[in-house]
Amino acid sequence: MGLDDDAREYHRRDPPGKIEISTTKPTNTQRDLSLAYSPGVAAPCLDIAEDPEAAFEYTAKGNLVAVVSNGSAVLGLGDIGAQASKPVMEGKGVLFKRFADIDVFDIELDIDEVEPFCTAVSAMEPTFGGINLEDIKAPECFEIEERLREEMDIPVFHDDQHGTAIISGAALLNAADVVDKELADLEIVFSGAGASALASARFYVSLGVKPENITMCDSSGIITTARADAGEVNEYKRDFARDVEGGDLADAIAGADVFVGLSVGGIVSQEMVRSMADDPIIFAMANPDPEITYEDAKSARDDTVIMATGRSDYPNMVNNVLGFPFLFRGALDVRATEINEEMKTAAAEALAELARKDVPDAVVKAYGDDPLQFGPDYVIPKPLDPRVLFEVAPKVAEAAMDSGCARSEIDAERYRERLEARLGKSREMMRVVLNKAKSDPKRIALAEGTDEKMIRAAYQIAEQGIAEPVLLGDAESIRGTARRLGLTFDPEIVDPDERDVTAYGDQLYDLRKRKGITRREAGELVQRDTNYLGSVMVKAGDADALLTGLTHHYPSALRPPLQVIGSAEDTDTVAGVYMLTFKNRVVFCADTTVNQDPDAETLAEITRHTAELARRFNVEPRAAMLSYSNFGSVDNAGTRQSRDAVSLLHDDPAVDFPVDGEMQADTAVVEEILTGTYDFSDLDEAANVLVFPNLESGNIGYKLLQRLGGAEAIGPMLVGMDEPVHVLQRGDEVKDIVNLAGVAVVDAQE
């Protein structure tokens, strides 16, 4: 089947469409229903009648946006009418929810006239926290937005106008910087004079472009004052009429620094590109076919050509999804009365700044593993970059507060953390640890210091104040990679070829001389193997923690720290733990990486260590020893082992958390089974520490939860070591390294 048929099947699959309504409060009992509806609902109703602002407290209004259209100018389809536009408006709702966790009702109005359209939308103000106007033709869209902004006390935003303006404006800020030109000096030519073109031109002026440097062309050519005086252009185009001779697009583009295309495909030739000023900036944003193809624009000349389109298959995609979800998120969260120029500018500047930062591995993978680094082919972030939410929305919210249109105040740092939590429970949990780490950063040795991911992680660790990274390896290679990546930091590097590491070799010899290592071998190990070098540095107190394993098999990466650092004084057990986060639940799974067939004593130690780890994340542990037996339903050597581990823990006066077992996995995690069938259990809530009976089951279990249960996994976190050591999995991403660095710092603090 072709794309069209696939899309039809996608939309008609049961249930039809792309959105649904779901409840957010319990509705299981008669009491639940009496609270949700009659008679309980009367209380919040009366409060709102007394104070309308209470609607934001008692209802979904504060997170509800209306996407409103009459279908008169649907992108790529034209005037198809209100009913036919509904799949597009539902799709817009999907984007709001997916990128900013904003709920949407799509409203399709079969109204073409401005007056009744405004009357209908204005009457909906009690329902919504904001209005997103969509796919309404010009010039009516201008009057509709202006009137609704005046009449309504909630944000009204016409995305077709301002979305493109904000995103392309961010790209313009960075493109001008790349080619070393000032915005005030740019000569800009527009092809197209519709809603998005006019809004973009106005927005560029607010960013610093001079109005007299903007030339706008419509289908009849350059918009001149002569045409305006003759009544050939409407009042909105008239603002950009220039006192110049008439001509066509080719005349206008000659000598221009910037071309902005919001018209039709294929109207710009290579010759026209060659006529532009040095290092031209070309935003060819007609969809689906740009005014000139990426290949033709780039090959037209030999100097730097910065090219942006509206397509995902080329660099620098100008996509409105980078704007509207995050503008509304920031506006809703401070109960703004409007989305003003200051908020739009803040969004553009935040997007521009984000494009200059190191790009997460997950984003790179999502776009085909091609390098993404600030420069001519990357002046705007990618739509799937999750950081856009907590980089842009806070700036928008701050701008709303500073400009006086916010009805509530927020703390910027705490707000950022709330936004991160919307992206998943794992971010919320890691924020707890990272905040602890930042309160007292420690020195972390990064064993594989020449690896690009380690260098990028070191940059982020230092920039965020999580730790003081120490990169181990060839200094020239590390500095060269940092320069190539554009990372402006000067990390501490321990290069055995540049620094005398004899003392570390002597210490390794003292530790292992009765275990088969000679003095010469010890010296060679710290010289050539950064796992041994890093382990001895931690043992000597020259580093507080060690991260390794990114380019090694887990056992080979773990062996040096086990030999040099060893387990803590009060235990012989080291174990690997994964923290798995679901939407509203966190579980710690142990042991998933180290002990193949633990005995009862080892299982008890693993449980103690994992409980301590949970508390570092501010989680009070409730531990379950997992088995295929429930409290003696099967009696053999395997089930007795878990049962005996529970007895050891119950007899230990230092164990101050509930633990029980042996029990099946569903018994451990389903509260109704625990409190119903097994009401004698020491656990009165579902377990959040799951201790598997052996390595095989632990590894299988956590991977099934991750892949089929949709959990996010953080780890493996090594517990039971005498000093903080964490062994990464081969292929881990930069964010995984940063997360484990935070865990290591908190380990070192404690």
Short mmCIF file of all heavy atoms in Angstrom, two decimals, residues 505 508-523 525 532 563:
data_model
loop_
_atom_site.label_atom_id
_atom_site.label_comp_id
_atom_site.label_asym_id
_atom_site.label_seq_id
_atom_site.Cartn_x
_atom_site.Cartn_y
_atom_site.Cartn_z
N GLY A 505 51.48 2.63 40.01
CA GLY A 505 51.97 1.28 39.77
C GLY A 505 52.46 0.63 41.04
O GLY A 505 52.19 -0.56 41.29
N LEU A 508 49.44 -0.42 43.09
CA LEU A 508 48.81 -1.62 42.55
C LEU A 508 49.65 -2.86 42.89
O LEU A 508 49.10 -3.91 43.23
CB LEU A 508 48.67 -1.48 41.02
CG LEU A 508 48.06 -2.70 40.29
CD1 LEU A 508 46.66 -3.01 40.82
CD2 LEU A 508 48.00 -2.44 38.78
N TYR A 509 50.97 -2.70 42.84
CA TYR A 509 51.85 -3.83 43.19
C TYR A 509 51.65 -4.23 44.65
O TYR A 509 51.54 -5.43 44.97
CB TYR A 509 53.30 -3.44 42.93
CG TYR A 509 54.30 -4.47 43.42
CD1 TYR A 509 54.37 -5.73 42.83
CD2 TYR A 509 55.17 -4.16 44.47
CE1 TYR A 509 55.28 -6.67 43.28
CE2 TYR A 509 56.08 -5.09 44.93
CZ TYR A 509 56.13 -6.35 44.34
OH TYR A 509 57.04 -7.29 44.78
N ASP A 510 51.56 -3.25 45.54
CA ASP A 510 51.35 -3.56 46.96
C ASP A 510 50.03 -4.31 47.18
O ASP A 510 49.94 -5.19 48.04
CB ASP A 510 51.35 -2.28 47.79
CG ASP A 510 52.75 -1.67 47.92
OD1 ASP A 510 53.72 -2.41 47.71
OD2 ASP A 510 52.84 -0.46 48.20
N LEU A 511 49.03 -3.94 46.41
CA LEU A 511 47.71 -4.58 46.56
C LEU A 511 47.68 -6.00 45.99
O LEU A 511 47.00 -6.89 46.52
CB LEU A 511 46.64 -3.74 45.86
CG LEU A 511 46.26 -2.40 46.52
CD1 LEU A 511 45.46 -1.55 45.56
CD2 LEU A 511 45.46 -2.65 47.80
N ARG A 512 48.43 -6.25 44.91
CA ARG A 512 48.27 -7.51 44.17
C ARG A 512 49.54 -8.36 44.14
O ARG A 512 49.57 -9.37 43.43
CB ARG A 512 47.85 -7.19 42.72
CG ARG A 512 46.62 -6.34 42.57
CD ARG A 512 45.36 -7.03 43.04
NE ARG A 512 45.06 -8.20 42.24
CZ ARG A 512 44.08 -9.07 42.51
NH1 ARG A 512 43.34 -8.90 43.59
NH2 ARG A 512 43.87 -10.11 41.73
N LYS A 513 50.56 -8.00 44.90
CA LYS A 513 51.84 -8.71 44.78
C LYS A 513 51.75 -10.16 45.24
O LYS A 513 52.53 -11.00 44.80
CB LYS A 513 52.93 -7.97 45.55
CG LYS A 513 52.70 -7.84 47.05
CD LYS A 513 53.77 -6.95 47.66
CE LYS A 513 53.51 -6.72 49.16
NZ LYS A 513 54.47 -5.77 49.73
N ARG A 514 50.85 -10.48 46.12
CA ARG A 514 50.66 -11.87 46.53
C ARG A 514 49.52 -12.55 45.76
O ARG A 514 49.04 -13.61 46.15
CB ARG A 514 50.39 -11.95 48.03
CG ARG A 514 51.60 -11.55 48.87
CD ARG A 514 51.34 -11.75 50.35
NE ARG A 514 52.52 -11.39 51.14
CZ ARG A 514 53.54 -12.22 51.40
NH1 ARG A 514 53.52 -13.46 50.92
NH2 ARG A 514 54.57 -11.82 52.13
N LYS A 515 49.10 -11.87 44.67
CA LYS A 515 48.04 -12.44 43.84
C LYS A 515 48.48 -12.51 42.38
O LYS A 515 47.68 -12.37 41.45
CB LYS A 515 46.76 -11.62 43.99
CG LYS A 515 46.23 -11.66 45.42
CD LYS A 515 44.95 -10.85 45.60
CE LYS A 515 44.49 -10.94 47.05
NZ LYS A 515 43.26 -10.15 47.30
N GLY A 516 49.80 -12.69 42.19
CA GLY A 516 50.31 -13.02 40.87
C GLY A 516 50.81 -11.88 40.03
O GLY A 516 51.15 -12.09 38.86
N ILE A 517 50.87 -10.65 40.55
CA ILE A 517 51.32 -9.51 39.75
C ILE A 517 52.71 -9.09 40.20
O ILE A 517 52.96 -8.90 41.40
CB ILE A 517 50.35 -8.33 39.87
CG1 ILE A 517 49.05 -8.63 39.13
CG2 ILE A 517 50.97 -7.06 39.29
CD1 ILE A 517 48.08 -7.49 39.09
N THR A 518 53.65 -8.93 39.25
CA THR A 518 54.99 -8.43 39.54
C THR A 518 54.98 -6.92 39.51
O THR A 518 54.03 -6.28 39.02
CB THR A 518 56.01 -8.95 38.52
OG1 THR A 518 55.71 -8.38 37.24
CG2 THR A 518 55.97 -10.48 38.42
N ARG A 519 56.08 -6.31 40.02
CA ARG A 519 56.18 -4.85 40.02
C ARG A 519 56.13 -4.31 38.59
O ARG A 519 55.48 -3.30 38.31
CB ARG A 519 57.46 -4.41 40.71
CG ARG A 519 57.58 -2.89 40.87
CD ARG A 519 58.86 -2.50 41.57
NE ARG A 519 58.90 -2.98 42.94
CZ ARG A 519 58.34 -2.34 43.97
NH1 ARG A 519 57.67 -1.22 43.76
NH2 ARG A 519 58.46 -2.82 45.19
N ARG A 520 56.81 -4.98 37.64
CA ARG A 520 56.82 -4.50 36.26
C ARG A 520 55.43 -4.60 35.64
O ARG A 520 54.98 -3.69 34.94
CB ARG A 520 57.83 -5.31 35.44
CG ARG A 520 57.98 -4.83 33.99
CD ARG A 520 59.15 -5.53 33.30
NE ARG A 520 58.90 -6.96 33.20
CZ ARG A 520 58.19 -7.52 32.20
NH1 ARG A 520 57.68 -6.76 31.26
NH2 ARG A 520 58.02 -8.82 32.16
N GLU A 521 54.75 -5.70 35.91
CA GLU A 521 53.40 -5.87 35.37
C GLU A 521 52.45 -4.81 35.94
O GLU A 521 51.58 -4.29 35.21
CB GLU A 521 52.88 -7.28 35.69
CG GLU A 521 53.55 -8.37 34.87
CD GLU A 521 53.18 -9.75 35.36
OE1 GLU A 521 52.79 -9.90 36.55
OE2 GLU A 521 53.26 -10.70 34.56
N ALA A 522 52.61 -4.51 37.22
CA ALA A 522 51.75 -3.48 37.82
C ALA A 522 51.98 -2.13 37.16
O ALA A 522 51.04 -1.39 36.86
CB ALA A 522 52.01 -3.40 39.32
N GLY A 523 53.25 -1.80 36.91
CA GLY A 523 53.55 -0.53 36.24
C GLY A 523 52.99 -0.48 34.84
O GLY A 523 52.48 0.56 34.39
N LEU A 525 50.35 -2.14 33.75
CA LEU A 525 48.89 -2.10 33.80
C LEU A 525 48.37 -0.67 33.97
O LEU A 525 47.44 -0.26 33.28
CB LEU A 525 48.37 -2.99 34.94
CG LEU A 525 48.27 -4.48 34.64
CD1 LEU A 525 47.89 -5.25 35.90
CD2 LEU A 525 47.25 -4.76 33.54
N TYR A 532 42.56 0.06 35.35
CA TYR A 532 43.43 -0.09 36.51
C TYR A 532 43.90 1.27 37.02
O TYR A 532 43.92 1.52 38.24
CB TYR A 532 44.64 -0.97 36.17
CG TYR A 532 44.34 -2.44 36.23
CD1 TYR A 532 44.10 -3.18 35.08
CD2 TYR A 532 44.27 -3.11 37.46
CE1 TYR A 532 43.80 -4.53 35.13
CE2 TYR A 532 43.98 -4.46 37.53
CZ TYR A 532 43.74 -5.18 36.36
OH TYR A 532 43.44 -6.52 36.43
N GLN A 563 39.36 -5.96 41.89
CA GLN A 563 40.68 -6.35 42.38
C GLN A 563 41.34 -5.25 43.20
O GLN A 563 42.02 -5.53 44.20
CB GLN A 563 41.59 -6.72 41.19
CG GLN A 563 41.19 -7.99 40.47
CD GLN A 563 42.08 -8.26 39.26
OE1 GLN A 563 42.90 -7.43 38.88
NE2 GLN A 563 41.91 -9.44 38.65
#
